[in-house]
Amino acid sequence: RIIKEKYPDVPVIYFANGGSSYLELQKDMGCDMIAVDWSVDMKEARKILGPDIPISGNIDPTILFGTKEQIEQAVRDCIDKAGGPGKHLLNLGHGVMQGTPEEAVGWLVDECKRYRGQNA
């Protein structure tokens, strides 16, 4: 809240690595978005935070060492659990790990752009 009061036009995204275990306490922080790490299920995070708090996350970064199909499915699952396309900002739950194949990052980005939701 202190940052938003001083800089009201600057978007504030709150991320605490490991902070997903206390999401209930983050609901009234006054930030513009809460980013969740990969350790919490996105559906559970959405349930705790409710439909109106913008949320970011939270694909497990190790999925990028998987197959193209596994990566695409992880993208679709995360989007659907967050409420569908346009309901959150999809990203990795803790950044790209060293040694991640660049091709895998491309597969993730491509599926993010392509996927329109389970009811499309």
Side-chain angles (χ1 to χ4, degrees):
R1 292 181 191 263
I2 295 169
I3 295 171
K4 286 306 287 183
E5 288 172 9
K6 189 168 183 174
Y7 305 101
D9 298 327
V10 175
V12 175
I13 300 173
Y14 178 77
F15 175 74
N17 188 30
S20 297
S21 60
Y22 54 91
L23 285 174
E24 186 70 38
L25 300 174
Q26 299 173 33
K27 290 168 63 169
D28 64 351
M29 291 184 62
C31 58
D32 296 293
M33 178 176 284
I34 295 176
V36 295
D37 63 31
W38 59 269
S39 67
V40 66
D41 181 74
M42 181 56 81
K43 188 173 185 176
E44 182 65 17
R46 174 52 74 207
K47 180 180 168 189
I48 292 168
L49 294 173
D52 298 325
I53 295 177
I55 190 170
S56 171
N58 73 335
I59 294 177
D60 182 344
T62 63
I63 196 66
L64 294 179
F65 292 97
T67 67
K68 181 179 181 188
E69 292 75 23
Q70 289 170 321
I71 293 167
E72 290 173 343
Q73 188 62 53
V75 167
R76 293 188 296 266
D77 288 346
C78 189
I79 290 171
D80 290 338
K81 288 178 179 182
K87 300 295 183 184
H88 88 301
L89 176 65
L90 187 130
N91 61 26
L92 297 173
H94 192 59
V96 177
M97 298 172 65
Q98 186 174 6
T100 298
E102 288 182 32
E103 183 179 45
V105 176
W107 295 335
L108 181 132
V109 171
D110 289 345
E111 188 62 14
C112 288
K113 292 178 180 178
R114 180 177 32 247
Y115 189 61
R116 299 288 178 243
Q118 62 186 357
N119 298 323

